[in-house]
Amino acid sequence: VSTVFFYNLSVESGDFDVIRRSLSRLTGDRRIQLVLVAFCFGALIEGIAGFGAPVAITAAMLVGLGFEPIMAASLALIANTAPVAFGSLGIPVTTLGGLLAPMLGHDTQATTQALSAMVGRQLPLFSLVIPAYLVVLYAGWRRMIEVWPAVFMAGATFAIGQFTVSNFVGPELTDVLGALISLASVALLLRVWQPAEEFTEGARLAVAPVGPRDTGSRVIRAYATYGVLI
């Protein structure tokens, strides 16, 4: 209920459109937009809300950027593979830790941290692969190679963040911090690098108009909603 309320609030206030426009201005290439929205931003929503919200929200954002709806939903589901094990604020891991600790006769916090560390050592391998897999499904292997710096940056930084936070901090903020690091890293990369050829094919819908440029303060205010939540 809280997640749907928060999403509706961001739509009614215009924050959702501001965030969508800010992400689309980073690049017009659909492959990189897919990685930014479905993988990076989707992981952030998974860490904050979970329970299907990241797929619904990122699919809606992709449709707003011109992606065909069924394709957008399918790709959003696949992108959610990387962060979903930690779920909303680490609930799957903390719940399992709370259930296992009495059976093992161990401290709940220690058991949860051990589980978090083990998941955090296995999942980064998938996090490295998922962005590339997304782009291959969407545009093909050759088209993925053309944007490998962005694909690698998104997967590697999220995997490093995921490993570090899960092992040394805990499961609660693993997805949130990993996603923020990944999103910021790709955004910084796009300031110094862009693909040689902008790919705008692969969807049946026209590219949605970006609209007027939002002021810096308006963009900060839109993202600040999520910042306060985090």
Short mmCIF file of all heavy atoms in Angstrom, two decimals, residues 115-184:
data_model
loop_
_atom_site.label_atom_id
_atom_site.label_comp_id
_atom_site.label_asym_id
_atom_site.label_seq_id
_atom_site.Cartn_x
_atom_site.Cartn_y
_atom_site.Cartn_z
N LEU A 115 24.40 -15.02 6.23
CA LEU A 115 23.60 -15.25 5.02
C LEU A 115 23.80 -14.10 4.02
O LEU A 115 23.96 -14.34 2.82
CB LEU A 115 22.12 -15.35 5.38
CG LEU A 115 21.65 -16.64 6.05
CD1 LEU A 115 20.25 -16.48 6.60
CD2 LEU A 115 21.72 -17.79 5.05
N SER A 116 23.79 -12.88 4.52
CA SER A 116 23.99 -11.71 3.67
C SER A 116 25.33 -11.79 2.94
O SER A 116 25.41 -11.52 1.73
CB SER A 116 23.92 -10.43 4.51
OG SER A 116 24.26 -9.29 3.75
N ALA A 117 26.36 -12.16 3.68
CA ALA A 117 27.70 -12.25 3.08
C ALA A 117 27.75 -13.33 2.01
O ALA A 117 28.35 -13.12 0.94
CB ALA A 117 28.73 -12.53 4.17
N MET A 118 27.11 -14.47 2.27
CA MET A 118 27.17 -15.56 1.30
C MET A 118 26.40 -15.21 0.02
O MET A 118 26.88 -15.46 -1.09
CB MET A 118 26.61 -16.85 1.91
CG MET A 118 26.75 -18.06 1.01
SD MET A 118 28.44 -18.34 0.44
CE MET A 118 29.26 -18.75 1.99
N VAL A 119 25.21 -14.62 0.19
CA VAL A 119 24.45 -14.18 -0.99
C VAL A 119 25.24 -13.13 -1.75
O VAL A 119 25.29 -13.12 -2.99
CB VAL A 119 23.07 -13.63 -0.57
CG1 VAL A 119 22.33 -13.07 -1.77
CG2 VAL A 119 22.24 -14.72 0.09
N GLY A 120 25.88 -12.24 -1.00
CA GLY A 120 26.66 -11.16 -1.62
C GLY A 120 27.92 -11.62 -2.32
O GLY A 120 28.53 -10.85 -3.07
N ARG A 121 28.33 -12.85 -2.09
CA ARG A 121 29.49 -13.40 -2.81
C ARG A 121 29.07 -14.13 -4.08
O ARG A 121 29.87 -14.29 -4.99
CB ARG A 121 30.26 -14.36 -1.90
CG ARG A 121 30.96 -13.67 -0.75
CD ARG A 121 31.44 -14.65 0.29
NE ARG A 121 31.80 -13.96 1.53
CZ ARG A 121 31.92 -14.57 2.71
NH1 ARG A 121 31.69 -15.87 2.80
NH2 ARG A 121 32.24 -13.87 3.77
N GLN A 122 27.82 -14.59 -4.12
CA GLN A 122 27.35 -15.33 -5.29
C GLN A 122 26.67 -14.42 -6.32
O GLN A 122 26.89 -14.54 -7.52
CB GLN A 122 26.36 -16.41 -4.85
CG GLN A 122 26.95 -17.47 -3.94
CD GLN A 122 25.93 -18.46 -3.44
OE1 GLN A 122 24.94 -18.71 -4.11
NE2 GLN A 122 26.16 -19.02 -2.27
N LEU A 123 25.85 -13.50 -5.83
CA LEU A 123 25.01 -12.70 -6.72
C LEU A 123 25.79 -11.74 -7.63
O LEU A 123 25.34 -11.48 -8.75
CB LEU A 123 23.99 -11.92 -5.88
CG LEU A 123 22.67 -11.59 -6.57
CD1 LEU A 123 22.00 -12.85 -7.11
CD2 LEU A 123 21.73 -10.87 -5.61
N PRO A 124 26.92 -11.17 -7.19
CA PRO A 124 27.65 -10.26 -8.09
C PRO A 124 28.03 -10.89 -9.43
O PRO A 124 28.17 -10.17 -10.43
CB PRO A 124 28.90 -9.90 -7.28
CG PRO A 124 28.44 -9.96 -5.86
CD PRO A 124 27.49 -11.12 -5.83
N LEU A 125 28.20 -12.20 -9.48
CA LEU A 125 28.50 -12.85 -10.76
C LEU A 125 27.36 -12.66 -11.74
O LEU A 125 27.57 -12.41 -12.93
CB LEU A 125 28.76 -14.34 -10.54
CG LEU A 125 29.94 -14.69 -9.62
CD1 LEU A 125 30.00 -16.20 -9.38
CD2 LEU A 125 31.25 -14.20 -10.22
N PHE A 126 26.12 -12.76 -11.25
CA PHE A 126 24.95 -12.53 -12.09
C PHE A 126 24.81 -11.04 -12.42
O PHE A 126 24.41 -10.67 -13.52
CB PHE A 126 23.69 -13.04 -11.41
CG PHE A 126 23.65 -14.53 -11.25
CD1 PHE A 126 24.10 -15.13 -10.08
CD2 PHE A 126 23.17 -15.34 -12.27
CE1 PHE A 126 24.07 -16.50 -9.93
CE2 PHE A 126 23.14 -16.72 -12.13
CZ PHE A 126 23.59 -17.31 -10.95
N SER A 127 25.13 -10.19 -11.46
CA SER A 127 25.01 -8.75 -11.67
C SER A 127 25.93 -8.27 -12.79
O SER A 127 25.60 -7.31 -13.50
CB SER A 127 25.34 -8.00 -10.37
OG SER A 127 24.45 -8.37 -9.35
N LEU A 128 27.06 -8.92 -12.95
CA LEU A 128 27.97 -8.57 -14.04
C LEU A 128 27.38 -8.91 -15.40
O LEU A 128 27.61 -8.20 -16.39
CB LEU A 128 29.31 -9.30 -13.87
CG LEU A 128 30.32 -8.70 -12.90
CD1 LEU A 128 31.45 -9.68 -12.67
CD2 LEU A 128 30.87 -7.39 -13.44
N VAL A 129 26.62 -9.98 -15.45
CA VAL A 129 26.13 -10.52 -16.72
C VAL A 129 24.80 -9.91 -17.15
O VAL A 129 24.56 -9.69 -18.35
CB VAL A 129 25.99 -12.06 -16.63
CG1 VAL A 129 25.34 -12.63 -17.88
CG2 VAL A 129 27.36 -12.69 -16.40
N ILE A 130 23.92 -9.62 -16.20
CA ILE A 130 22.55 -9.22 -16.51
C ILE A 130 22.46 -8.01 -17.44
O ILE A 130 21.68 -8.02 -18.41
CB ILE A 130 21.74 -8.98 -15.22
CG1 ILE A 130 21.53 -10.30 -14.47
CG2 ILE A 130 20.38 -8.34 -15.53
CD1 ILE A 130 20.75 -11.34 -15.26
N PRO A 131 23.22 -6.90 -17.22
CA PRO A 131 23.10 -5.77 -18.15
C PRO A 131 23.42 -6.14 -19.60
O PRO A 131 22.72 -5.72 -20.53
CB PRO A 131 24.11 -4.75 -17.60
CG PRO A 131 24.24 -5.10 -16.16
CD PRO A 131 24.12 -6.58 -16.10
N ALA A 132 24.47 -6.93 -19.79
CA ALA A 132 24.83 -7.36 -21.14
C ALA A 132 23.75 -8.26 -21.73
O ALA A 132 23.38 -8.13 -22.91
CB ALA A 132 26.17 -8.09 -21.12
N TYR A 133 23.22 -9.16 -20.90
CA TYR A 133 22.16 -10.07 -21.35
C TYR A 133 20.92 -9.29 -21.78
O TYR A 133 20.28 -9.62 -22.80
CB TYR A 133 21.84 -11.04 -20.22
CG TYR A 133 20.81 -12.09 -20.57
CD1 TYR A 133 20.96 -12.91 -21.68
CD2 TYR A 133 19.69 -12.28 -19.76
CE1 TYR A 133 20.02 -13.88 -21.99
CE2 TYR A 133 18.75 -13.25 -20.06
CZ TYR A 133 18.91 -14.05 -21.17
OH TYR A 133 17.98 -15.01 -21.47
N LEU A 134 20.59 -8.24 -21.04
CA LEU A 134 19.45 -7.40 -21.38
C LEU A 134 19.59 -6.80 -22.78
O LEU A 134 18.68 -6.84 -23.60
CB LEU A 134 19.31 -6.24 -20.37
CG LEU A 134 18.55 -6.48 -19.08
CD1 LEU A 134 18.62 -5.22 -18.23
CD2 LEU A 134 17.12 -6.87 -19.35
N VAL A 135 20.77 -6.22 -23.02
CA VAL A 135 21.00 -5.54 -24.30
C VAL A 135 21.04 -6.55 -25.45
O VAL A 135 20.54 -6.28 -26.54
CB VAL A 135 22.29 -4.70 -24.26
CG1 VAL A 135 22.54 -4.03 -25.60
CG2 VAL A 135 22.19 -3.64 -23.16
N VAL A 136 21.61 -7.74 -25.21
CA VAL A 136 21.63 -8.79 -26.24
C VAL A 136 20.21 -9.21 -26.60
O VAL A 136 19.87 -9.35 -27.78
CB VAL A 136 22.46 -10.00 -25.77
CG1 VAL A 136 22.27 -11.18 -26.71
CG2 VAL A 136 23.93 -9.64 -25.69
N LEU A 137 19.37 -9.40 -25.60
CA LEU A 137 17.97 -9.77 -25.87
C LEU A 137 17.26 -8.68 -26.66
O LEU A 137 16.42 -8.96 -27.51
CB LEU A 137 17.23 -10.01 -24.55
CG LEU A 137 17.55 -11.29 -23.79
CD1 LEU A 137 16.79 -11.32 -22.48
CD2 LEU A 137 17.22 -12.53 -24.62
N TYR A 138 17.58 -7.44 -26.35
CA TYR A 138 16.87 -6.31 -26.96
C TYR A 138 17.38 -6.00 -28.36
O TYR A 138 16.59 -5.76 -29.28
CB TYR A 138 17.02 -5.09 -26.06
CG TYR A 138 16.38 -3.84 -26.61
CD1 TYR A 138 15.01 -3.78 -26.85
CD2 TYR A 138 17.16 -2.73 -26.92
CE1 TYR A 138 14.42 -2.64 -27.36
CE2 TYR A 138 16.58 -1.58 -27.43
CZ TYR A 138 15.21 -1.54 -27.65
OH TYR A 138 14.65 -0.41 -28.17
N ALA A 139 18.71 -5.97 -28.54
CA ALA A 139 19.26 -5.47 -29.79
C ALA A 139 20.24 -6.41 -30.47
O ALA A 139 20.69 -6.12 -31.58
CB ALA A 139 19.95 -4.12 -29.54
N GLY A 140 20.61 -7.50 -29.82
CA GLY A 140 21.55 -8.43 -30.44
C GLY A 140 22.97 -8.26 -29.90
O GLY A 140 23.32 -7.25 -29.28
N TRP A 141 23.78 -9.30 -30.16
CA TRP A 141 25.15 -9.33 -29.63
C TRP A 141 26.00 -8.19 -30.16
O TRP A 141 26.70 -7.53 -29.40
CB TRP A 141 25.78 -10.68 -29.96
CG TRP A 141 27.22 -10.78 -29.57
CD1 TRP A 141 28.31 -10.61 -30.37
CD2 TRP A 141 27.74 -11.05 -28.26
NE1 TRP A 141 29.46 -10.76 -29.66
CE2 TRP A 141 29.15 -11.04 -28.36
CE3 TRP A 141 27.14 -11.30 -27.03
CZ2 TRP A 141 29.96 -11.27 -27.26
CZ3 TRP A 141 27.96 -11.54 -25.92
CH2 TRP A 141 29.36 -11.52 -26.05
N ARG A 142 25.94 -7.95 -31.46
CA ARG A 142 26.80 -6.91 -32.06
C ARG A 142 26.45 -5.53 -31.50
O ARG A 142 27.35 -4.73 -31.20
CB ARG A 142 26.64 -6.91 -33.58
CG ARG A 142 27.58 -5.94 -34.31
CD ARG A 142 27.44 -6.09 -35.82
NE ARG A 142 26.11 -5.69 -36.27
CZ ARG A 142 25.78 -4.41 -36.51
NH1 ARG A 142 26.66 -3.45 -36.34
NH2 ARG A 142 24.56 -4.13 -36.95
N ARG A 143 25.18 -5.26 -31.35
CA ARG A 143 24.75 -3.98 -30.79
C ARG A 143 25.17 -3.84 -29.33
O ARG A 143 25.39 -2.72 -28.85
CB ARG A 143 23.24 -3.83 -30.92
CG ARG A 143 22.75 -3.69 -32.36
CD ARG A 143 23.14 -2.37 -32.95
NE ARG A 143 22.48 -2.13 -34.24
CZ ARG A 143 22.67 -1.05 -34.97
NH1 ARG A 143 23.49 -0.09 -34.56
NH2 ARG A 143 22.04 -0.91 -36.13
N MET A 144 25.25 -4.94 -28.63
CA MET A 144 25.70 -4.88 -27.24
C MET A 144 27.18 -4.51 -27.16
O MET A 144 27.59 -3.71 -26.31
CB MET A 144 25.44 -6.22 -26.54
CG MET A 144 25.70 -6.19 -25.02
SD MET A 144 27.44 -6.37 -24.54
CE MET A 144 27.71 -8.08 -24.98
N ILE A 145 27.98 -5.09 -28.07
CA ILE A 145 29.41 -4.80 -28.07
C ILE A 145 29.66 -3.31 -28.29
O ILE A 145 30.62 -2.74 -27.75
CB ILE A 145 30.12 -5.64 -29.16
CG1 ILE A 145 30.02 -7.14 -28.84
CG2 ILE A 145 31.58 -5.23 -29.31
CD1 ILE A 145 30.69 -7.54 -27.54
N GLU A 146 28.80 -2.66 -29.04
CA GLU A 146 28.97 -1.24 -29.33
C GLU A 146 28.84 -0.37 -28.09
O GLU A 146 29.36 0.76 -28.06
CB GLU A 146 27.95 -0.80 -30.39
CG GLU A 146 28.16 -1.42 -31.76
CD GLU A 146 27.04 -1.11 -32.74
OE1 GLU A 146 26.04 -0.47 -32.33
OE2 GLU A 146 27.14 -1.51 -33.91
N VAL A 147 28.14 -0.86 -27.08
CA VAL A 147 27.96 -0.06 -25.86
C VAL A 147 28.54 -0.79 -24.64
O VAL A 147 28.12 -0.56 -23.50
CB VAL A 147 26.46 0.25 -25.61
CG1 VAL A 147 25.93 1.18 -26.68
CG2 VAL A 147 25.62 -1.02 -25.55
N TRP A 148 29.55 -1.63 -24.87
CA TRP A 148 30.08 -2.42 -23.76
C TRP A 148 30.63 -1.57 -22.61
O TRP A 148 30.54 -2.00 -21.44
CB TRP A 148 31.15 -3.40 -24.27
CG TRP A 148 32.47 -2.78 -24.61
CD1 TRP A 148 32.88 -2.36 -25.83
CD2 TRP A 148 33.54 -2.50 -23.71
NE1 TRP A 148 34.15 -1.83 -25.76
CE2 TRP A 148 34.58 -1.90 -24.46
CE3 TRP A 148 33.73 -2.68 -22.34
CZ2 TRP A 148 35.78 -1.49 -23.90
CZ3 TRP A 148 34.93 -2.27 -21.76
CH2 TRP A 148 35.95 -1.69 -22.54
N PRO A 149 31.19 -0.36 -22.85
CA PRO A 149 31.66 0.41 -21.68
C PRO A 149 30.54 0.72 -20.68
O PRO A 149 30.73 0.58 -19.47
CB PRO A 149 32.23 1.68 -22.30
CG PRO A 149 32.62 1.29 -23.69
CD PRO A 149 31.56 0.32 -24.11
N ALA A 150 29.38 1.12 -21.19
CA ALA A 150 28.25 1.43 -20.30
C ALA A 150 27.72 0.17 -19.65
O ALA A 150 27.37 0.16 -18.46
CB ALA A 150 27.15 2.14 -21.09
N VAL A 151 27.64 -0.91 -20.42
CA VAL A 151 27.13 -2.18 -19.90
C VAL A 151 28.05 -2.71 -18.81
O VAL A 151 27.60 -3.12 -17.73
CB VAL A 151 27.01 -3.21 -21.05
CG1 VAL A 151 26.77 -4.61 -20.50
CG2 VAL A 151 25.90 -2.82 -22.01
N PHE A 152 29.35 -2.65 -19.06
CA PHE A 152 30.32 -3.14 -18.08
C PHE A 152 30.32 -2.26 -16.83
O PHE A 152 30.37 -2.77 -15.70
CB PHE A 152 31.72 -3.17 -18.70
CG PHE A 152 32.80 -3.57 -17.72
CD1 PHE A 152 32.96 -4.91 -17.38
CD2 PHE A 152 33.63 -2.62 -17.15
CE1 PHE A 152 33.94 -5.29 -16.46
CE2 PHE A 152 34.62 -2.99 -16.25
CZ PHE A 152 34.77 -4.33 -15.89
N MET A 153 30.26 -0.95 -17.02
CA MET A 153 30.26 -0.03 -15.88
C MET A 153 29.05 -0.27 -14.98
O MET A 153 29.18 -0.32 -13.76
CB MET A 153 30.24 1.42 -16.38
CG MET A 153 30.24 2.46 -15.27
SD MET A 153 31.76 2.49 -14.31
CE MET A 153 32.87 3.34 -15.46
N ALA A 154 27.87 -0.44 -15.59
CA ALA A 154 26.66 -0.68 -14.80
C ALA A 154 26.76 -1.98 -14.00
O ALA A 154 26.48 -2.00 -12.79
CB ALA A 154 25.44 -0.72 -15.72
N GLY A 155 27.17 -3.05 -14.66
CA GLY A 155 27.24 -4.35 -13.99
C GLY A 155 28.36 -4.42 -12.96
O GLY A 155 28.15 -4.92 -11.85
N ALA A 156 29.53 -3.90 -13.31
CA ALA A 156 30.69 -4.01 -12.42
C ALA A 156 30.50 -3.18 -11.15
O ALA A 156 30.78 -3.65 -10.05
CB ALA A 156 31.95 -3.57 -13.15
N THR A 157 30.04 -1.94 -11.30
CA THR A 157 29.88 -1.09 -10.12
C THR A 157 28.77 -1.60 -9.20
O THR A 157 28.90 -1.55 -7.97
CB THR A 157 29.60 0.37 -10.52
OG1 THR A 157 28.49 0.41 -11.43
CG2 THR A 157 30.81 0.99 -11.18
N PHE A 158 27.69 -2.11 -9.80
CA PHE A 158 26.63 -2.67 -8.97
C PHE A 158 27.12 -3.93 -8.26
O PHE A 158 26.83 -4.13 -7.07
CB PHE A 158 25.39 -3.00 -9.81
CG PHE A 158 24.23 -3.51 -9.00
CD1 PHE A 158 23.51 -2.66 -8.18
CD2 PHE A 158 23.87 -4.85 -9.04
CE1 PHE A 158 22.45 -3.14 -7.42
CE2 PHE A 158 22.82 -5.33 -8.29
CZ PHE A 158 22.10 -4.47 -7.47
N ALA A 159 27.88 -4.76 -8.96
CA ALA A 159 28.40 -5.99 -8.36
C ALA A 159 29.36 -5.67 -7.21
O ALA A 159 29.31 -6.29 -6.14
CB ALA A 159 29.12 -6.83 -9.42
N ILE A 160 30.23 -4.67 -7.41
CA ILE A 160 31.17 -4.29 -6.36
C ILE A 160 30.42 -3.72 -5.15
O ILE A 160 30.71 -4.06 -3.99
CB ILE A 160 32.18 -3.25 -6.90
CG1 ILE A 160 33.11 -3.93 -7.92
CG2 ILE A 160 33.00 -2.64 -5.76
CD1 ILE A 160 33.98 -2.94 -8.69
N GLY A 161 29.44 -2.85 -5.43
CA GLY A 161 28.65 -2.30 -4.34
C GLY A 161 27.88 -3.38 -3.59
O GLY A 161 27.80 -3.38 -2.36
N GLN A 162 27.31 -4.29 -4.34
CA GLN A 162 26.53 -5.39 -3.76
C GLN A 162 27.41 -6.26 -2.86
O GLN A 162 27.02 -6.60 -1.73
CB GLN A 162 25.94 -6.23 -4.89
CG GLN A 162 24.73 -7.03 -4.54
CD GLN A 162 24.12 -7.68 -5.77
OE1 GLN A 162 24.84 -8.25 -6.61
NE2 GLN A 162 22.81 -7.61 -5.91
N PHE A 163 28.59 -6.60 -3.35
CA PHE A 163 29.51 -7.43 -2.57
C PHE A 163 29.96 -6.71 -1.30
O PHE A 163 29.94 -7.27 -0.20
CB PHE A 163 30.73 -7.80 -3.42
CG PHE A 163 31.82 -8.48 -2.64
CD1 PHE A 163 31.76 -9.85 -2.41
CD2 PHE A 163 32.90 -7.76 -2.15
CE1 PHE A 163 32.77 -10.50 -1.69
CE2 PHE A 163 33.90 -8.40 -1.43
CZ PHE A 163 33.84 -9.76 -1.19
N THR A 164 30.36 -5.45 -1.44
CA THR A 164 30.91 -4.70 -0.32
C THR A 164 29.87 -4.47 0.78
O THR A 164 30.13 -4.74 1.96
CB THR A 164 31.46 -3.34 -0.80
OG1 THR A 164 32.41 -3.57 -1.84
CG2 THR A 164 32.11 -2.59 0.34
N VAL A 165 28.69 -3.99 0.38
CA VAL A 165 27.67 -3.66 1.39
C VAL A 165 27.15 -4.93 2.06
O VAL A 165 26.98 -4.96 3.29
CB VAL A 165 26.51 -2.88 0.74
CG1 VAL A 165 25.43 -2.59 1.77
CG2 VAL A 165 27.01 -1.57 0.15
N SER A 166 26.89 -5.97 1.30
CA SER A 166 26.34 -7.20 1.89
C SER A 166 27.32 -7.87 2.85
O SER A 166 26.90 -8.49 3.83
CB SER A 166 25.95 -8.19 0.79
OG SER A 166 27.09 -8.59 0.04
N ASN A 167 28.61 -7.74 2.59
CA ASN A 167 29.61 -8.40 3.43
C ASN A 167 30.03 -7.57 4.63
O ASN A 167 30.37 -8.12 5.68
CB ASN A 167 30.85 -8.76 2.60
CG ASN A 167 30.69 -10.07 1.86
OD1 ASN A 167 31.07 -11.12 2.35
ND2 ASN A 167 30.09 -10.02 0.67
N PHE A 168 30.04 -6.24 4.49
CA PHE A 168 30.60 -5.41 5.55
C PHE A 168 29.59 -4.48 6.22
O PHE A 168 29.91 -3.87 7.24
CB PHE A 168 31.76 -4.58 4.99
CG PHE A 168 32.85 -5.42 4.41
CD1 PHE A 168 33.03 -5.52 3.04
CD2 PHE A 168 33.70 -6.15 5.24
CE1 PHE A 168 34.04 -6.31 2.50
CE2 PHE A 168 34.71 -6.95 4.71
CZ PHE A 168 34.88 -7.03 3.35
N VAL A 169 28.39 -4.35 5.66
CA VAL A 169 27.37 -3.50 6.27
C VAL A 169 26.16 -4.32 6.68
O VAL A 169 25.75 -4.33 7.84
CB VAL A 169 26.93 -2.36 5.31
CG1 VAL A 169 25.84 -1.51 5.95
CG2 VAL A 169 28.13 -1.50 4.92
N GLY A 170 25.56 -5.04 5.74
CA GLY A 170 24.39 -5.84 6.03
C GLY A 170 23.46 -5.88 4.83
O GLY A 170 23.69 -5.19 3.83
N PRO A 171 22.39 -6.66 4.92
CA PRO A 171 21.52 -6.84 3.75
C PRO A 171 20.55 -5.70 3.49
O PRO A 171 20.03 -5.57 2.39
CB PRO A 171 20.75 -8.12 4.10
CG PRO A 171 20.67 -8.11 5.60
CD PRO A 171 21.97 -7.50 6.06
N GLU A 172 20.28 -4.86 4.50
CA GLU A 172 19.20 -3.89 4.38
C GLU A 172 19.41 -2.89 3.25
O GLU A 172 18.47 -2.52 2.53
CB GLU A 172 19.00 -3.13 5.71
CG GLU A 172 18.49 -4.00 6.84
CD GLU A 172 19.61 -4.73 7.57
OE1 GLU A 172 20.78 -4.56 7.18
OE2 GLU A 172 19.32 -5.48 8.52
N LEU A 173 20.61 -2.39 3.08
CA LEU A 173 20.87 -1.34 2.09
C LEU A 173 21.72 -1.83 0.92
O LEU A 173 22.26 -1.01 0.16
CB LEU A 173 21.56 -0.14 2.76
CG LEU A 173 20.70 0.64 3.76
CD1 LEU A 173 21.51 1.77 4.39
CD2 LEU A 173 19.46 1.21 3.08
N THR A 174 21.84 -3.12 0.76
CA THR A 174 22.70 -3.66 -0.31
C THR A 174 22.24 -3.19 -1.69
O THR A 174 23.04 -2.65 -2.47
CB THR A 174 22.70 -5.19 -0.27
OG1 THR A 174 23.26 -5.63 0.97
CG2 THR A 174 23.52 -5.76 -1.41
N ASP A 175 20.98 -3.37 -2.01
CA ASP A 175 20.47 -2.97 -3.33
C ASP A 175 20.46 -1.45 -3.49
O ASP A 175 20.80 -0.93 -4.56
CB ASP A 175 19.05 -3.51 -3.54
CG ASP A 175 19.04 -4.98 -3.88
OD1 ASP A 175 20.10 -5.53 -4.23
OD2 ASP A 175 17.96 -5.61 -3.79
N VAL A 176 20.06 -0.75 -2.44
CA VAL A 176 19.95 0.71 -2.53
C VAL A 176 21.30 1.34 -2.83
O VAL A 176 21.44 2.14 -3.77
CB VAL A 176 19.35 1.28 -1.22
CG1 VAL A 176 19.42 2.80 -1.23
CG2 VAL A 176 17.92 0.82 -1.04
N LEU A 177 22.31 1.01 -2.03
CA LEU A 177 23.62 1.63 -2.22
C LEU A 177 24.29 1.14 -3.51
O LEU A 177 24.91 1.91 -4.22
CB LEU A 177 24.51 1.33 -1.01
CG LEU A 177 24.03 1.94 0.32
CD1 LEU A 177 24.99 1.59 1.44
CD2 LEU A 177 23.89 3.46 0.20
N GLY A 178 24.15 -0.16 -3.80
CA GLY A 178 24.71 -0.69 -5.05
C GLY A 178 24.10 -0.02 -6.27
O GLY A 178 24.81 0.33 -7.22
N ALA A 179 22.79 0.20 -6.24
CA ALA A 179 22.11 0.84 -7.37
C ALA A 179 22.53 2.31 -7.51
O ALA A 179 22.73 2.79 -8.63
CB ALA A 179 20.60 0.75 -7.18
N LEU A 180 22.65 3.01 -6.40
CA LEU A 180 23.06 4.41 -6.46
C LEU A 180 24.47 4.54 -7.04
O LEU A 180 24.74 5.43 -7.84
CB LEU A 180 23.01 5.04 -5.06
CG LEU A 180 21.60 5.29 -4.50
CD1 LEU A 180 21.69 5.76 -3.05
CD2 LEU A 180 20.86 6.33 -5.34
N ILE A 181 25.36 3.65 -6.62
CA ILE A 181 26.73 3.66 -7.16
C ILE A 181 26.72 3.38 -8.65
O ILE A 181 27.39 4.05 -9.44
CB ILE A 181 27.60 2.62 -6.42
CG1 ILE A 181 27.79 3.02 -4.96
CG2 ILE A 181 28.95 2.46 -7.11
CD1 ILE A 181 28.40 1.92 -4.10
N SER A 182 25.93 2.39 -9.07
CA SER A 182 25.85 2.02 -10.49
C SER A 182 25.26 3.15 -11.31
O SER A 182 25.79 3.51 -12.38
CB SER A 182 25.01 0.75 -10.63
OG SER A 182 24.92 0.36 -11.98
N LEU A 183 24.17 3.73 -10.85
CA LEU A 183 23.50 4.82 -11.56
C LEU A 183 24.42 6.02 -11.72
O LEU A 183 24.54 6.59 -12.81
CB LEU A 183 22.22 5.21 -10.81
CG LEU A 183 21.19 6.07 -11.54
CD1 LEU A 183 20.70 5.38 -12.81
CD2 LEU A 183 20.01 6.35 -10.62
N ALA A 184 25.09 6.38 -10.64
CA ALA A 184 26.00 7.53 -10.69
C ALA A 184 27.19 7.25 -11.60
O ALA A 184 27.64 8.14 -12.35
CB ALA A 184 26.48 7.87 -9.28
#
